[in-house]
């Protein structure tokens, strides 16, 4: 069965790492077709909108989407795109590789981030001169959906530790509901889990990441804690992610368009290639996904490496080395 993949490189290093991922996917000789769409700052400048309708449709109709990064228009691109694929879960694995000099080499954590509401509900207002508000939306349905996804993910992927992040002592109504529902789901699954206040959790993640496996988070907490974990394992160049819905999904590196290095050809493609591996998993190409992960891991171990990892290789060199191993 042919799978159609929408490919949206976006801005900055998105333009550099996305072709690398397509090249790797093409090398596997699977029944995949690729259709490319435009989004981001450059398109906004040209056409007045960051996410043209035809790109939206491409993502809606494809079996999965591969997204690079957008720049200043990121929120206008990625939030609607996550919506288009109906994604309610953002899966962000942060894993240290033995060969790399990670701040915390024992890190192997998967953040399962609620992807539709919380403080990213987009409901903001200027209520008076110099006074602005934000409405934090938490629903029982979305909380249950993300908690079920998180506990199921832990079970399927052999994680013993599940932690529910929250701040219900302060946000009593909203996180109170999130916590109550997530705990109920944990009890239904009949597994042990912990709950953690998200601020204290940030500290514990830095000091003792080995104590954590799957961390189920409200939207903003998941965004921040996963970037924090990126720092523990060697930087944003390594972190892939999946935005998963009922029957569609979008895969993207956690990093942005990295304007500081864009155009230099030195972006680390690993995060993007590992996102492509997650896409393969999603399409039930588990063996190929594992092969891509092994090849990336092999190159991370033996080089070549991009400057963010202390090397002097370019994106193309790393991609070629991964292709070689495949
Ligand atoms: P960023 O992730 O683009 O960059 C942060 C730092 O990490 C930079 O020093 C960058 O050089 C480095 N970095 C990131 N990815 C790398 C890679 N693959 N290889 C080597 N180094 C890498 O985040 P920043 O600087 O906060 O945002 C830059 C732009 O990206 C902004 O316009 C922001 O809105 C956008 N952004 C877009 C996202 C998306 O499209 N999903 C996510 C985050 C930011
Ligand atoms: Mg972020």
């Amino acid at each position: 069965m042919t799978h159609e993949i929408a490919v949206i490189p976006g801005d900055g290093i998105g333009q550099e790492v996305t072709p690398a991922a397509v090249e790797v996917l093409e090398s596997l000789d699977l029944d995949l077709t690729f259709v490319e769409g435009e989004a981001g700052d450059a398109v906004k400048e040209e056409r007045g909108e960051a996410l043209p309708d035809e790109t939206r449709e491409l993502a809606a109709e494809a079996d999965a989407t591969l997204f690079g990064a957008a720049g200043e228009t990121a929120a206008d691109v990625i939030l609607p795109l996550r919506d288009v694929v109906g994604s309610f879960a953002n899966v962000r694995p942060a894993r240290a590789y033995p060969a790399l000099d990670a701040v915390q080499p024992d890190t192997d954590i998967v953040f399962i981030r609620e992807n539709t509401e919380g403080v990213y509900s987009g409901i903001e207002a200027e209520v008076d001169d110099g006074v602005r508000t934000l409405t934090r939306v938490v629903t029982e349905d979305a909380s249950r959906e993300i908690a079920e996804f998180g506990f199921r993910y832990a079970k399927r992927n052999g994680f013993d530790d599940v932690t529910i992040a929250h701040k219900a002592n302060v946000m009593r109504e909203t996180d109170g509901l999130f916590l109550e529902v997530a705990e109920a789901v944990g009890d239904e699954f009949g597994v042990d889990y912990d709950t953690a206040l998200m601020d204290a959790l940030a500290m514990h993640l830095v000091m003792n990441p080995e104590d954590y496996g799957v961390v189920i988070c409200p939207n903003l907490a998941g965004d921040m804690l996963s970037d924090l974990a990126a720092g523990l394992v060697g930087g944003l160049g390594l972190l892939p992610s999946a935005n998963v819905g009922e029957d569609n999904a979008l895969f993207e590196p956690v990093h942005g368009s990295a304007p500081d290095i864009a155009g230099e050809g030195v972006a680390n493609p690993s995060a993007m290639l590992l996102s492509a591996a997650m896409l393969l998993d999603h399409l039930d190409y588990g063996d190929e996904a594992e092969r891509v992960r092994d090849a990336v891991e092999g190159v991370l171990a033996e080089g070549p490496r991009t400057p963010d990892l202390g090397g002097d290789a370019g994106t193309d060199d790393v991609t070629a080395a991964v292709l070689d191993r495949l």
Side-chain angles (χ1 to χ4, degrees):
M1 178 183 148
T2 305
H3 291 291
E4 189 175 89
I5 315 294
V7 178
I8 308 172
D11 299 310
I13 65 168
Q15 290 285 346
E16 300 167 41
V17 296
T18 310
V22 173
E23 219 181 317
V24 163
L25 288 173
E26 278 178 333
S27 80
L28 299 171
D29 269 336
L30 301 171
D31 200 359
L32 303 176
T33 60
F34 300 89
V35 281
E36 193 161 320
E38 293 184 318
D41 298 1
V43 192
K44 174 144 193 195
E45 200 141 299
E46 243 171 67
R47 304 168 49 175
E49 51 179 352
L51 184 63
D53 284 344
E54 71 255 27
T55 305
R56 216 183 267 263
E57 276 156 32
L58 223 60
E61 280 162 23
D63 295 299
T65 295
L66 204 53
F67 174 69
E72 292 310 312
T73 56
D76 305 322
V77 174
I78 192 61
L79 297 182
L81 275 180
R82 285 175 183 156
D83 212 39
V84 164
V85 301
S87 89
F88 59 87
N90 187 198
V91 183
R92 295 185 161 191
R95 156 163 186 237
Y97 293 91
L100 296 178
D101 199 13
V103 175
Q104 283 288 19
D106 293 327
T107 309
D108 185 6
I109 304 172
V110 180
F111 294 88
I112 304 291
R113 166 191 175 197
E114 200 288 316
N115 215 13
T116 64
E117 53 184 29
V119 290
Y120 289 178
S121 58
I123 309 170
E124 292 192 288
E126 179 167 12
V127 292
D128 208 340
D129 239 11
V131 184
R132 296 176 194 189
T133 59
L134 159 71
T135 301
R136 182 174 202 260
V137 178
V138 173
T139 63
E140 184 176 339
D141 284 351
S143 302
R144 169 161 284 276
E145 204 164 32
I146 194 66
E148 287 179 349
F149 184 92
F151 279 104
R152 209 179 307 124
Y153 185 96
K155 200 170 183 178
R156 274 195 198 149
N157 295 281
F159 284 93
D160 294 329
D161 298 302
V162 179
T163 305
I164 302 163
H166 69 96
K167 189 80 182 170
N169 56 336
V170 178
M171 296 182 279
R172 292 187 184 133
E173 288 299 330
T174 50
D175 261 7
L177 178 61
F178 182 82
L179 178 62
E180 182 189 311
V181 172
E183 285 187 308
V185 170
D187 294 340
E188 287 164 23
F189 271 74
V191 296
D192 286 337
Y193 59 83
D194 287 314
T195 66
L197 291 166
M198 54 177 80
D199 47 353
L201 177 59
M203 180 196 73
H204 286 297
L205 284 171
V206 171
M207 297 183 73
N208 305 103
E210 68 280 3
D211 291 347
Y212 298 91
V214 166
V215 182
I216 300 172
C217 310
N219 204 338
L220 173 64
D223 196 7
M224 298 188 62
L225 294 175
S226 57
D227 272 30
L228 176 141
L232 298 179
V233 302
L236 283 168
L238 297 175
L239 260 71
S241 78
N243 298 277
V244 183
E246 290 295 342
D247 39 40
N248 203 342
L250 177 147
F251 301 83
E252 53 165 340
V254 172
H255 65 70
S257 62
D260 53 338
I261 58 166
E264 292 173 21
V266 295
N268 186 347
S270 303
M272 190 57 169
L273 299 182
L274 295 168
S275 303
M278 292 179 88
L279 177 147
L280 289 169
D281 271 329
H282 174 76
L283 296 177
D284 277 334
Y285 291 121
D287 292 344
E288 288 80 1
E290 211 45 46
R291 281 179 61 208
V292 171
R293 271 190 285 268
D294 284 348
V296 171
E297 191 167 348
V299 174
L300 288 173
E302 288 169 27
R305 289 181 188 163
T306 42
D308 56 309
L309 300 177
D312 57 8
T315 311
D316 289 349
D317 305 319
V318 174
T319 308
V322 170
L323 287 167
D324 244 17
R325 283 177 181 266
L326 282 171

